[in-house]
Each structure stands twice: as C-alpha cells, then as structure tokens.
PDB file of all heavy atoms in Angstrom:
ATOM      1  N   TYR A   1       5.860   6.869  -3.420  1.00 93.00           N
ATOM      2  CA  TYR A   1       5.806   8.328  -3.295  1.00 93.00           C
ATOM      3  C   TYR A   1       6.249   8.676  -1.881  1.00 93.00           C
ATOM      4  O   TYR A   1       5.416   8.718  -0.980  1.00 93.00           O
ATOM      5  CB  TYR A   1       4.388   8.849  -3.546  1.00 93.00           C
ATOM      6  CG  TYR A   1       3.778   8.330  -4.822  1.00 93.00           C
ATOM      7  CD1 TYR A   1       2.945   7.221  -4.814  1.00 93.00           C
ATOM      8  CD2 TYR A   1       4.057   8.942  -6.038  1.00 93.00           C
ATOM      9  CE1 TYR A   1       2.391   6.742  -5.981  1.00 93.00           C
ATOM     10  CE2 TYR A   1       3.508   8.463  -7.219  1.00 93.00           C
ATOM     11  CZ  TYR A   1       2.676   7.369  -7.184  1.00 93.00           C
ATOM     12  OH  TYR A   1       2.127   6.883  -8.343  1.00 93.00           O
ATOM     13  N   GLY A   2       7.539   8.870  -1.673  1.00 91.00           N
ATOM     14  CA  GLY A   2       8.053   9.145  -0.337  1.00 91.00           C
ATOM     15  C   GLY A   2       7.828   7.961   0.585  1.00 91.00           C
ATOM     16  O   GLY A   2       8.340   6.880   0.361  1.00 91.00           O
ATOM     17  N   ALA A   3       7.020   8.149   1.618  1.00 94.00           N
ATOM     18  CA  ALA A   3       6.748   7.095   2.594  1.00 94.00           C
ATOM     19  C   ALA A   3       5.459   6.344   2.287  1.00 94.00           C
ATOM     20  O   ALA A   3       4.992   5.555   3.103  1.00 94.00           O
ATOM     21  CB  ALA A   3       6.677   7.690   3.999  1.00 94.00           C
ATOM     22  N   GLN A   4       4.868   6.569   1.124  1.00 95.00           N
ATOM     23  CA  GLN A   4       3.642   5.875   0.740  1.00 95.00           C
ATOM     24  C   GLN A   4       3.849   5.160  -0.576  1.00 95.00           C
ATOM     25  O   GLN A   4       4.705   5.548  -1.376  1.00 95.00           O
ATOM     26  CB  GLN A   4       2.486   6.868   0.635  1.00 95.00           C
ATOM     27  CG  GLN A   4       2.199   7.543   1.952  1.00 95.00           C
ATOM     28  CD  GLN A   4       0.991   8.461   1.863  1.00 95.00           C
ATOM     29  OE1 GLN A   4       0.368   8.603   0.827  1.00 95.00           O
ATOM     30  NE2 GLN A   4       0.672   9.084   2.977  1.00 95.00           N
ATOM     31  N   ALA A   5       3.054   4.112  -0.787  1.00 97.00           N
ATOM     32  CA  ALA A   5       3.201   3.339  -2.019  1.00 97.00           C
ATOM     33  C   ALA A   5       1.852   2.800  -2.474  1.00 97.00           C
ATOM     34  O   ALA A   5       0.891   2.748  -1.701  1.00 97.00           O
ATOM     35  CB  ALA A   5       4.179   2.185  -1.809  1.00 97.00           C
ATOM     36  N   ARG A   6       1.834   2.400  -3.736  1.00 96.00           N
ATOM     37  CA  ARG A   6       0.688   1.698  -4.306  1.00 96.00           C
ATOM     38  C   ARG A   6       1.244   0.437  -4.952  1.00 96.00           C
ATOM     39  O   ARG A   6       2.167   0.498  -5.770  1.00 96.00           O
ATOM     40  CB  ARG A   6      -0.001   2.561  -5.359  1.00 96.00           C
ATOM     41  CG  ARG A   6      -1.143   1.826  -6.073  1.00 96.00           C
ATOM     42  CD  ARG A   6      -1.765   2.676  -7.139  1.00 96.00           C
ATOM     43  NE  ARG A   6      -0.780   2.903  -8.206  1.00 96.00           N
ATOM     44  CZ  ARG A   6      -1.089   3.414  -9.384  1.00 96.00           C
ATOM     45  NH1 ARG A   6      -2.314   3.786  -9.649  1.00 96.00           N
ATOM     46  NH2 ARG A   6      -0.149   3.599 -10.298  1.00 96.00           N
ATOM     47  N   VAL A   7       0.685  -0.716  -4.566  1.00 96.00           N
ATOM     48  CA  VAL A   7       1.093  -1.989  -5.140  1.00 96.00           C
ATOM     49  C   VAL A   7      -0.132  -2.538  -5.876  1.00 96.00           C
ATOM     50  O   VAL A   7      -1.159  -2.815  -5.254  1.00 96.00           O
ATOM     51  CB  VAL A   7       1.582  -2.978  -4.059  1.00 96.00           C
ATOM     52  CG1 VAL A   7       2.027  -4.293  -4.692  1.00 96.00           C
ATOM     53  CG2 VAL A   7       2.722  -2.354  -3.247  1.00 96.00           C
ATOM     54  N   VAL A   8      -0.007  -2.669  -7.193  1.00 94.00           N
ATOM     55  CA  VAL A   8      -1.129  -3.093  -8.024  1.00 94.00           C
ATOM     56  C   VAL A   8      -0.973  -4.563  -8.368  1.00 94.00           C
ATOM     57  O   VAL A   8       0.040  -4.976  -8.945  1.00 94.00           O
ATOM     58  CB  VAL A   8      -1.205  -2.244  -9.315  1.00 94.00           C
ATOM     59  CG1 VAL A   8      -2.365  -2.698 -10.192  1.00 94.00           C
ATOM     60  CG2 VAL A   8      -1.331  -0.772  -8.968  1.00 94.00           C
ATOM     61  N   PHE A   9      -1.987  -5.338  -8.006  1.00 91.00           N
ATOM     62  CA  PHE A   9      -2.074  -6.753  -8.367  1.00 91.00           C
ATOM     63  C   PHE A   9      -3.165  -6.878  -9.438  1.00 91.00           C
ATOM     64  O   PHE A   9      -3.887  -5.918  -9.712  1.00 91.00           O
ATOM     65  CB  PHE A   9      -2.439  -7.602  -7.148  1.00 91.00           C
ATOM     66  CG  PHE A   9      -1.394  -7.621  -6.080  1.00 91.00           C
ATOM     67  CD1 PHE A   9      -1.472  -6.750  -5.009  1.00 91.00           C
ATOM     68  CD2 PHE A   9      -0.326  -8.506  -6.135  1.00 91.00           C
ATOM     69  CE1 PHE A   9      -0.509  -6.756  -4.009  1.00 91.00           C
ATOM     70  CE2 PHE A   9       0.642  -8.521  -5.147  1.00 91.00           C
ATOM     71  CZ  PHE A   9       0.556  -7.650  -4.075  1.00 91.00           C
ATOM     72  N   ALA A  10      -3.329  -8.054 -10.010  1.00 87.00           N
ATOM     73  CA  ALA A  10      -4.337  -8.254 -11.057  1.00 87.00           C
ATOM     74  C   ALA A  10      -5.748  -7.965 -10.542  1.00 87.00           C
ATOM     75  O   ALA A  10      -6.566  -7.410 -11.263  1.00 87.00           O
ATOM     76  CB  ALA A  10      -4.252  -9.674 -11.592  1.00 87.00           C
ATOM     77  N   ARG A  11      -6.031  -8.316  -9.287  1.00 85.00           N
ATOM     78  CA  ARG A  11      -7.396  -8.172  -8.775  1.00 85.00           C
ATOM     79  C   ARG A  11      -7.513  -7.236  -7.586  1.00 85.00           C
ATOM     80  O   ARG A  11      -8.558  -7.193  -6.934  1.00 85.00           O
ATOM     81  CB  ARG A  11      -7.922  -9.553  -8.372  1.00 85.00           C
ATOM     82  CG  ARG A  11      -8.057 -10.489  -9.555  1.00 85.00           C
ATOM     83  CD  ARG A  11      -8.424 -11.897  -9.194  1.00 85.00           C
ATOM     84  NE  ARG A  11      -9.494 -11.975  -8.217  1.00 85.00           N
ATOM     85  CZ  ARG A  11      -9.759 -13.066  -7.513  1.00 85.00           C
ATOM     86  NH1 ARG A  11      -9.026 -14.137  -7.667  1.00 85.00           N
ATOM     87  NH2 ARG A  11     -10.751 -13.074  -6.650  1.00 85.00           N
ATOM     88  N   ASP A  12      -6.473  -6.504  -7.269  1.00 88.00           N
ATOM     89  CA  ASP A  12      -6.517  -5.634  -6.093  1.00 88.00           C
ATOM     90  C   ASP A  12      -5.394  -4.608  -6.181  1.00 88.00           C
ATOM     91  O   ASP A  12      -4.388  -4.832  -6.845  1.00 88.00           O
ATOM     92  CB  ASP A  12      -6.341  -6.472  -4.820  1.00 88.00           C
ATOM     93  CG  ASP A  12      -6.638  -5.726  -3.537  1.00 88.00           C
ATOM     94  OD1 ASP A  12      -7.151  -4.589  -3.594  1.00 88.00           O
ATOM     95  OD2 ASP A  12      -6.371  -6.276  -2.460  1.00 88.00           O
ATOM     96  N   SER A  13      -5.593  -3.499  -5.514  1.00 93.00           N
ATOM     97  CA  SER A  13      -4.519  -2.532  -5.294  1.00 93.00           C
ATOM     98  C   SER A  13      -4.414  -2.337  -3.791  1.00 93.00           C
ATOM     99  O   SER A  13      -5.427  -2.199  -3.104  1.00 93.00           O
ATOM    100  CB  SER A  13      -4.832  -1.193  -5.976  1.00 93.00           C
ATOM    101  OG  SER A  13      -4.750  -1.328  -7.374  1.00 93.00           O
ATOM    102  N   VAL A  14      -3.191  -2.340  -3.303  1.00 95.00           N
ATOM    103  CA  VAL A  14      -2.914  -2.230  -1.876  1.00 95.00           C
ATOM    104  C   VAL A  14      -2.042  -0.994  -1.675  1.00 95.00           C
ATOM    105  O   VAL A  14      -1.125  -0.746  -2.457  1.00 95.00           O
ATOM    106  CB  VAL A  14      -2.193  -3.496  -1.355  1.00 95.00           C
ATOM    107  CG1 VAL A  14      -1.849  -3.377   0.112  1.00 95.00           C
ATOM    108  CG2 VAL A  14      -3.050  -4.738  -1.612  1.00 95.00           C
ATOM    109  N   PHE A  15      -2.336  -0.238  -0.621  1.00 96.00           N
ATOM    110  CA  PHE A  15      -1.595   0.987  -0.334  1.00 96.00           C
ATOM    111  C   PHE A  15      -0.850   0.848   0.996  1.00 96.00           C
ATOM    112  O   PHE A  15      -1.452   0.996   2.053  1.00 96.00           O
ATOM    113  CB  PHE A  15      -2.550   2.183  -0.283  1.00 96.00           C
ATOM    114  CG  PHE A  15      -3.111   2.543  -1.629  1.00 96.00           C
ATOM    115  CD1 PHE A  15      -4.251   1.926  -2.103  1.00 96.00           C
ATOM    116  CD2 PHE A  15      -2.479   3.482  -2.426  1.00 96.00           C
ATOM    117  CE1 PHE A  15      -4.769   2.242  -3.353  1.00 96.00           C
ATOM    118  CE2 PHE A  15      -2.992   3.810  -3.675  1.00 96.00           C
ATOM    119  CZ  PHE A  15      -4.135   3.185  -4.138  1.00 96.00           C
ATOM    120  N   PRO A  16       0.463   0.553   0.958  1.00 97.00           N
ATOM    121  CA  PRO A  16       1.269   0.518   2.175  1.00 97.00           C
ATOM    122  C   PRO A  16       1.881   1.891   2.479  1.00 97.00           C
ATOM    123  O   PRO A  16       2.052   2.721   1.582  1.00 97.00           O
ATOM    124  CB  PRO A  16       2.378  -0.488   1.862  1.00 97.00           C
ATOM    125  CG  PRO A  16       2.123  -0.996   0.485  1.00 97.00           C
ATOM    126  CD  PRO A  16       1.133  -0.089  -0.159  1.00 97.00           C
ATOM    127  N   THR A  17       2.208   2.088   3.749  1.00 96.00           N
ATOM    128  CA  THR A  17       2.867   3.306   4.218  1.00 96.00           C
ATOM    129  C   THR A  17       4.028   2.888   5.115  1.00 96.00           C
ATOM    130  O   THR A  17       3.926   1.931   5.869  1.00 96.00           O
ATOM    131  CB  THR A  17       1.884   4.193   5.000  1.00 96.00           C
ATOM    132  OG1 THR A  17       0.829   4.580   4.113  1.00 96.00           O
ATOM    133  CG2 THR A  17       2.549   5.441   5.538  1.00 96.00           C
ATOM    134  N   SER A  18       5.118   3.649   5.051  1.00 96.00           N
ATOM    135  CA  SER A  18       6.288   3.364   5.873  1.00 96.00           C
ATOM    136  C   SER A  18       6.109   3.930   7.275  1.00 96.00           C
ATOM    137  O   SER A  18       5.755   5.094   7.450  1.00 96.00           O
ATOM    138  CB  SER A  18       7.531   3.974   5.233  1.00 96.00           C
ATOM    139  OG  SER A  18       8.670   3.712   6.023  1.00 96.00           O
ATOM    140  N   PHE A  19       6.364   3.082   8.266  1.00 95.00           N
ATOM    141  CA  PHE A  19       6.341   3.457   9.678  1.00 95.00           C
ATOM    142  C   PHE A  19       7.719   3.142  10.252  1.00 95.00           C
ATOM    143  O   PHE A  19       8.500   2.416   9.628  1.00 95.00           O
ATOM    144  CB  PHE A  19       5.262   2.660  10.427  1.00 95.00           C
ATOM    145  CG  PHE A  19       3.861   3.091  10.082  1.00 95.00           C
ATOM    146  CD1 PHE A  19       3.198   2.552   8.996  1.00 95.00           C
ATOM    147  CD2 PHE A  19       3.215   4.054  10.845  1.00 95.00           C
ATOM    148  CE1 PHE A  19       1.913   2.954   8.669  1.00 95.00           C
ATOM    149  CE2 PHE A  19       1.931   4.472  10.528  1.00 95.00           C
ATOM    150  CZ  PHE A  19       1.273   3.919   9.442  1.00 95.00           C
ATOM    151  N   PRO A  20       8.053   3.650  11.436  1.00 94.00           N
ATOM    152  CA  PRO A  20       9.368   3.365  12.012  1.00 94.00           C
ATOM    153  C   PRO A  20       9.667   1.866  12.138  1.00 94.00           C
ATOM    154  O   PRO A  20      10.813   1.456  12.036  1.00 94.00           O
ATOM    155  CB  PRO A  20       9.303   4.029  13.392  1.00 94.00           C
ATOM    156  CG  PRO A  20       8.341   5.157  13.205  1.00 94.00           C
ATOM    157  CD  PRO A  20       7.302   4.625  12.246  1.00 94.00           C
ATOM    158  N   ASP A  21       8.631   1.041  12.306  1.00 93.00           N
ATOM    159  CA  ASP A  21       8.855  -0.403  12.441  1.00 93.00           C
ATOM    160  C   ASP A  21       8.613  -1.169  11.140  1.00 93.00           C
ATOM    161  O   ASP A  21       8.496  -2.386  11.142  1.00 93.00           O
ATOM    162  CB  ASP A  21       8.005  -0.976  13.576  1.00 93.00           C
ATOM    163  CG  ASP A  21       6.515  -0.795  13.358  1.00 93.00           C
ATOM    164  OD1 ASP A  21       6.121   0.069  12.544  1.00 93.00           O
ATOM    165  OD2 ASP A  21       5.731  -1.515  14.000  1.00 93.00           O
ATOM    166  N   GLY A  22       8.533  -0.466  10.025  1.00 95.00           N
ATOM    167  CA  GLY A  22       8.378  -1.132   8.734  1.00 95.00           C
ATOM    168  C   GLY A  22       7.152  -0.654   7.977  1.00 95.00           C
ATOM    169  O   GLY A  22       6.420   0.224   8.424  1.00 95.00           O
ATOM    170  N   TRP A  23       6.947  -1.244   6.808  1.00 97.00           N
ATOM    171  CA  TRP A  23       5.809  -0.880   5.962  1.00 97.00           C
ATOM    172  C   TRP A  23       4.562  -1.604   6.446  1.00 97.00           C
ATOM    173  O   TRP A  23       4.603  -2.784   6.758  1.00 97.00           O
ATOM    174  CB  TRP A  23       6.107  -1.246   4.511  1.00 97.00           C
ATOM    175  CG  TRP A  23       7.092  -0.319   3.878  1.00 97.00           C
ATOM    176  CD1 TRP A  23       8.453  -0.354   4.020  1.00 97.00           C
ATOM    177  CD2 TRP A  23       6.807   0.795   3.043  1.00 97.00           C
ATOM    178  NE1 TRP A  23       9.021   0.683   3.314  1.00 97.00           N
ATOM    179  CE2 TRP A  23       8.029   1.395   2.692  1.00 97.00           C
ATOM    180  CE3 TRP A  23       5.634   1.345   2.534  1.00 97.00           C
ATOM    181  CZ2 TRP A  23       8.126   2.508   1.872  1.00 97.00           C
ATOM    182  CZ3 TRP A  23       5.720   2.451   1.710  1.00 97.00           C
ATOM    183  CH2 TRP A  23       6.946   3.026   1.386  1.00 97.00           C
ATOM    184  N   LYS A  24       3.455  -0.874   6.497  1.00 97.00           N
ATOM    185  CA  LYS A  24       2.165  -1.402   6.941  1.00 97.00           C
ATOM    186  C   LYS A  24       1.107  -1.054   5.902  1.00 97.00           C
ATOM    187  O   LYS A  24       1.182  -0.014   5.244  1.00 97.00           O
ATOM    188  CB  LYS A  24       1.748  -0.791   8.286  1.00 97.00           C
ATOM    189  CG  LYS A  24       2.758  -0.963   9.403  1.00 97.00           C
ATOM    190  CD  LYS A  24       2.736  -2.351   9.942  1.00 97.00           C
ATOM    191  CE  LYS A  24       3.675  -2.475  11.138  1.00 97.00           C
ATOM    192  NZ  LYS A  24       3.666  -3.785  11.703  1.00 97.00           N
ATOM    193  N   VAL A  25       0.089  -1.884   5.798  1.00 97.00           N
ATOM    194  CA  VAL A  25      -0.996  -1.666   4.839  1.00 97.00           C
ATOM    195  C   VAL A  25      -1.999  -0.668   5.411  1.00 97.00           C
ATOM    196  O   VAL A  25      -2.545  -0.884   6.490  1.00 97.00           O
ATOM    197  CB  VAL A  25      -1.680  -3.003   4.488  1.00 97.00           C
ATOM    198  CG1 VAL A  25      -2.927  -2.778   3.649  1.00 97.00           C
ATOM    199  CG2 VAL A  25      -0.695  -3.911   3.765  1.00 97.00           C
ATOM    200  N   THR A  26      -2.228   0.419   4.679  1.00 97.00           N
ATOM    201  CA  THR A  26      -3.202   1.424   5.103  1.00 97.00           C
ATOM    202  C   THR A  26      -4.535   1.241   4.384  1.00 97.00           C
ATOM    203  O   THR A  26      -5.569   1.673   4.893  1.00 97.00           O
ATOM    204  CB  THR A  26      -2.691   2.855   4.841  1.00 97.00           C
ATOM    205  OG1 THR A  26      -2.327   2.967   3.473  1.00 97.00           O
ATOM    206  CG2 THR A  26      -1.502   3.177   5.714  1.00 97.00           C
ATOM    207  N   ALA A  27      -4.518   0.619   3.202  1.00 96.00           N
ATOM    208  CA  ALA A  27      -5.752   0.388   2.452  1.00 96.00           C
ATOM    209  C   ALA A  27      -5.571  -0.817   1.538  1.00 96.00           C
ATOM    210  O   ALA A  27      -4.474  -1.067   1.034  1.00 96.00           O
ATOM    211  CB  ALA A  27      -6.128   1.615   1.638  1.00 96.00           C
ATOM    212  N   ALA A  28      -6.663  -1.561   1.329  1.00 94.00           N
ATOM    213  CA  ALA A  28      -6.646  -2.735   0.443  1.00 94.00           C
ATOM    214  C   ALA A  28      -8.063  -2.943  -0.087  1.00 94.00           C
ATOM    215  O   ALA A  28      -9.017  -2.331   0.384  1.00 94.00           O
ATOM    216  CB  ALA A  28      -6.156  -3.972   1.181  1.00 94.00           C
ATOM    217  N   GLY A  29      -8.170  -3.836  -1.056  1.00 92.00           N
ATOM    218  CA  GLY A  29      -9.466  -4.035  -1.689  1.00 92.00           C
ATOM    219  C   GLY A  29      -9.854  -2.795  -2.470  1.00 92.00           C
ATOM    220  O   GLY A  29     -11.008  -2.396  -2.495  1.00 92.00           O
ATOM    221  N   CYS A  30      -8.862  -2.175  -3.106  1.00 93.00           N
ATOM    222  CA  CYS A  30      -9.056  -0.886  -3.762  1.00 93.00           C
ATOM    223  C   CYS A  30      -9.211  -1.040  -5.270  1.00 93.00           C
ATOM    224  O   CYS A  30      -8.440  -1.756  -5.907  1.00 93.00           O
ATOM    225  CB  CYS A  30      -7.870   0.030  -3.477  1.00 93.00           C
ATOM    226  SG  CYS A  30      -7.603   0.325  -1.716  1.00 93.00           S
ATOM    227  N   ILE A  31     -10.194  -0.349  -5.799  1.00 89.00           N
ATOM    228  CA  ILE A  31     -10.401  -0.347  -7.242  1.00 89.00           C
ATOM    229  C   ILE A  31     -10.348   1.099  -7.738  1.00 89.00           C
ATOM    230  O   ILE A  31     -10.853   2.004  -7.075  1.00 89.00           O
ATOM    231  CB  ILE A  31     -11.727  -1.023  -7.659  1.00 89.00           C
ATOM    232  CG1 ILE A  31     -12.911  -0.372  -6.957  1.00 89.00           C
ATOM    233  CG2 ILE A  31     -11.696  -2.514  -7.386  1.00 89.00           C
ATOM    234  CD1 ILE A  31     -14.260  -0.831  -7.465  1.00 89.00           C
TER     235      ILE A  31
END
C-alpha cells in the first residue's frame, strides 16, 4: 500500500515500510 506493506507468513505477519535507505520492519509478531 504505497510505502507500506504487509508480509504474511504461516506463523507471523510482518509490516515493512519504505525509507530512503530501503525497506525496514515497523512491526512483527503480529496476529
């Protein structure tokens, strides 16, 4: 979604965000 994303794994969802130096994880361990 623009500069934000949701990556869903079998046991976790991780939320990365785009920064000038690349994508960084803003949240993890998400249910």
